[in-house]
Amino acid sequence: MIAPLRFAAYIGSSARTELVKQIAALLLGVRGYTILAVSTIVKTPLLVKNIDITTKHMYTLGIESVLLVTMIAAFLGSATVTQAVYQMSGLVPLRYLGALVCKTTVTELGPVITSMVFAGRVATGIAAEIASMKGSEQLDAMSVLRLDPIRYLIVPKMVACVIMLPVLTIWAILVAFAGSALTVAISVDVTMHTYLSGMKLFFNPVDVYVGVGKTLIFGAIVAITGAYYGFQAKGGAAGVGNATTKAVVVSAVLILVFDFVVAVLAM
């Protein structure tokens, strides 16, 4: 009888110790992330000396994401209409279909889904690039040459993300509207006039400002998260893989957290 109790006590003690370690690691991670974010924001004014680097990243991180965002947004609009029709069936007149699609796409689905897709492509790329530079000692070489990695590696990427993600979001919303209109025309028993009138029925420009505006925060989150886990990478190729995985997962979590915070503040 005593042996099982001792075993249970050992398991409980081990679990408690592991929990304490996880909490300590989380707090250290939050501290390191905050320091990197503050350092990046403070050094952002130095960007004026490296405009060419930023414009290059605007193309590679933003313009090259247009095709992916377009495909996702088109199916997002179609799926939103399909689900809205299913949920409204027998409960809400379909003349309000446009209003529901417009509200959900502009305020939540458009900004959040676009940011998630952007994070999946960009955060992983940033993390892999910096982790590879760390593994090949390029970061050490920059320090020897007195080149600040934050200024030359993170600031241009962050500014490029902050500029291009809202642009991609606006484009995604427009494509989603087009996809939703096509779906309505093909498979929903509602005239296009009724659908478009419903979209304008409860339209509020503030929804656009809030929906697109919060992607400024999401863009900074994507860049800083990718850079943070790139700097934390250890162990060669395996470390690069772990860094990219953590970067996209944490970016997605932070996007949802800050989306909730913005939604509460905008109420």
Side-chain angles (χ1 to χ4, degrees):
M1 185 68 182
I2 296 177
L5 293 177
R6 287 179 177 177
F7 179 73
Y10 172 75
I11 294 297
S13 177
S14 300
R16 186 165 55 251
T17 302
E18 185 64 25
L19 178 61
V20 171
K21 290 181 179 179
Q22 292 293 334
I23 293 175
L26 176 62
L27 294 176
L28 288 174
V30 171
R31 175 179 176 272
Y33 188 97
T34 303
I35 292 174
L36 179 62
V38 172
S39 299
T40 303
I41 293 171
V42 168
K43 295 177 182 180
T44 299
L46 299 175
L47 180 74
V48 294
K49 299 180 181 180
N50 307 104
I51 294 296
D52 56 331
I53 301 177
T54 303
T55 54
K56 178 183 177 181
H57 287 312
M58 288 172 64
Y59 178 82
T60 57
L61 302 180
I63 301 301
E64 292 185 356
S65 300
V66 169
L67 180 59
L68 177 62
V69 169
T70 301
M71 294 177 61
I72 296 296
F75 286 102
L76 173 65
S78 299
T80 302
V81 167
T82 303
Q83 287 298 317
V85 171
Y86 173 74
Q87 298 295 333
M88 296 170 62
S89 180
L91 298 175
V92 181
L94 288 180
R95 67 174 179 270
Y96 297 113
L97 175 63
L100 178 60
V101 172
C102 181
K103 282 283 187 181
T104 55
T105 302
V106 169
T107 58
E108 287 298 325
L109 291 182
V112 173
I113 298 300
T114 302
S115 299
M116 292 283 194
V117 173
F118 188 77
R121 179 182 182 274
V122 173
T124 53
I126 294 175
E129 177 186 351
I130 295 178
S132 299
M133 293 179 69
K134 182 179 180 181
S136 59
E137 299 183 352
Q138 294 182 55
L139 296 181
D140 295 333
M142 291 183 69
S143 300
V144 171
L145 295 173
R146 295 184 179 180
L147 298 176
D148 185 1
I150 294 178
R151 173 184 171 184
Y152 290 97
L153 295 179
I154 307 179
V155 170
K157 290 180 173 63
M158 186 193 74
V159 173
C161 290
V162 168
I163 293 174
M164 295 307 298
L165 185 52
V167 175
L168 289 173
T169 300
I170 294 172
W171 172 249
I173 291 172
L174 295 176
V175 173
F177 285 163
S180 68
L182 181 62
T183 303
V184 168
I186 294 175
S187 61
V188 181
D189 188 20
V190 173
T191 65
M192 189 57 60
H193 174 74
T194 301
Y195 178 68
L196 296 178
S197 299
M199 294 185 74
K200 296 185 291 184
L201 188 60
F202 298 108
F203 177 76
N204 187 349
V206 175
D207 294 336
V208 179
Y209 302 147
V210 173
V212 176
K214 62 187 176 184
T215 59
L216 296 170
I217 302 174
F218 298 162
I221 287 173
V222 169
I224 294 173
T225 304
Y228 174 76
Y229 283 103
F231 282 125
Q232 296 296 314
K234 298 178 182 178
V240 175
N242 290 332
T244 57
T245 301
K246 291 178 181 179
V248 69
V249 170
V250 175
S251 293
V253 171
L254 290 179
I255 285 171
L256 293 177
V257 169
F258 278 89
D259 179 57
F260 169 75
V261 172
V262 172
V264 171
L265 295 177
M267 289 179 62

